[in-house]
Amino acid sequence: QVQPVQSGGGSVQAGGSLTLSCVASTYAGSRCLGWFRQVPGKEREGVANAYIQTVGGAKCVGDSAKGRFTISRDDTKNTVYLQMDYLKPEDTGMYYCAALSSGACCELLKTPGIWNYFGQGTQVTVSS
């Protein structure tokens, strides 16, 4: 399997927190792992991403999540985590983990079509 495997998500009230996890496939040769959010009728929106298995690799968070979401990685587990704090109703959507084999991760935050593999998706619902 080359698709990343994601977990986490669920329902929470506004102001609450959730954590998403994403494990990269060892067969995919991924350079970056990231998260995209999609709501019905809209394109996937880049939320955050990070280099994996790269010393000093950059992490980036999209404008709508800055100051509230934190992306971290554990290279021993080939995993990235998205800690989502101070959640808002507008954060609601299906969250997809994505893996990228080459390119500049942060520069490709807004281009989901470039990413190579996507996870199965997990729903995040924030109620007011």
Side-chain angles (χ1 to χ4, degrees):
Q1 178 179 339
V2 294
Q3 285 79 13
V5 178
Q6 58 183 102
S7 60
S11 297
V12 67
Q13 289 190 328
S17 299
L18 288 171
T19 303
L20 304 179
S21 301
C22 178
V23 182
S25 166
T26 55
Y27 301 102
S30 300
R31 176 182 177 86
C32 314
L33 287 179
W35 295 95
F36 291 87
R37 175 176 60 232
Q38 188 165 28
V39 297
K42 293 189 177 181
E43 295 185 355
R44 289 182 182 181
E45 173 191 3
V47 177
N49 66 45
Y51 285 90
I52 59 173
Q53 306 296 343
T54 304
V55 175
K59 305 171 190 175
C60 58
V61 178
D63 291 339
S64 65
K66 281 182 179 177
R68 301 185 299 120
F69 293 7
T70 304
I71 188 166
S72 61
R73 76 189 214 207
D74 183 343
D75 286 345
T76 66
K77 299 179 180 180
N78 228 22
T79 300
V80 295
Y81 303 95
L82 183 67
Q83 177 64 39
M84 303 185 291
D85 298 317
Y86 305 107
L87 282 160
K88 304 176 181 179
E90 50 263 45
D91 295 318
T92 294
M94 187 70 76
Y95 282 69
Y96 293 91
C97 178
L100 181 70
S101 299
S102 63
C105 305
C106 286
E107 294 179 10
L108 297 174
L109 179 64
K110 297 182 179 181
T111 53
I114 299 296
W115 292 67
N116 302 102
Y117 305 107
F118 284 84
Q120 75 276 19
T122 187
Q123 180 68 33
V124 171
T125 302
V126 184
S127 58
S128 57

